[in-house]
Amino acid sequence: MSLIQPNLGPDLRRWIVPSMLLLIGLAWIGGRFPGDTLRGTAQYGLVAIHAVPIVVVVSAVWFGVCGDASTRWQGVLLAVAILVKGFTVFAIVWAMTFPGGFGPHGVLDWLPIGTANAGAGLLLLAFLRTRRTRRTRAGAE
């Protein structure tokens, strides 16, 4: 399959919307916490750290839609979704333990985290449904 011709099968369609929701949340988190006290190289480093998961998700979706038919990209999205869920738990514990520290404080800080968390949850659900569908098809043969 070429990198230009999309390969949108029924299994792939259920991955696109959660991936986009996850991307919106991750990009919003990166723009919401700019690191006002950082200058120069440290500021660029913070932006680069926030860009890494976005690049990983975009690459996984790109290769899933236009690349080969393997399921490696699903594993990458699954790993990102699990990491987002883990970091959400960390952010909740951090905000409760250190209310005056860096991190989320108000509603506008929690909205992007919730958006990324919703996308991650939908990705996990899509992964479970895809596995169940494959298992059912394999049992029917």
Side-chain angles (χ1 to χ4, degrees):
M1 191 119 247
S2 73
L3 288 177
I4 297 173
Q5 185 180 14
N7 177 21
L8 292 176
D11 287 343
L12 185 64
R13 287 189 194 126
R14 69 179 70 164
W15 291 84
I16 291 178
V17 172
S19 298
M20 293 304 121
L21 192 60
L22 180 63
L23 278 173
I24 290 167
L26 290 173
W28 194 1
I29 289 170
R32 185 74 191 139
F33 302 109
D36 296 334
T37 59
L38 300 176
R39 300 286 177 240
T41 307
Q43 179 68 32
Y44 294 126
L46 185 64
V47 170
I49 288 171
H50 279 115
V52 168
I54 295 169
V55 170
V56 169
V57 172
V58 167
S59 300
V61 170
W62 175 262
F63 286 115
V65 171
C66 299
D68 57 3
S70 72
T71 58
R72 269 181 277 164
W73 62 272
Q74 291 178 357
V76 171
L77 288 175
L78 177 66
V80 171
I82 290 171
L83 284 173
V84 166
K85 291 288 188 181
F87 280 119
T88 301
V89 170
F90 173 76
I92 291 169
V93 170
W94 182 269
M96 289 172 39
T97 309
F98 303 104
F102 69 90
H105 296 291
V107 174
L108 289 178
D109 294 336
W110 284 105
L111 277 174
I113 294 171
T115 303
N117 201 14
L122 290 172
L123 275 173
L124 292 173
L125 182 65
F127 181 77
L128 292 174
R129 286 183 178 169
T130 302
R131 274 190 77 181
R132 189 179 317 142
T133 303
R134 283 194 195 130
R135 191 177 299 148
T136 308
R137 284 182 192 161
E141 293 176 356

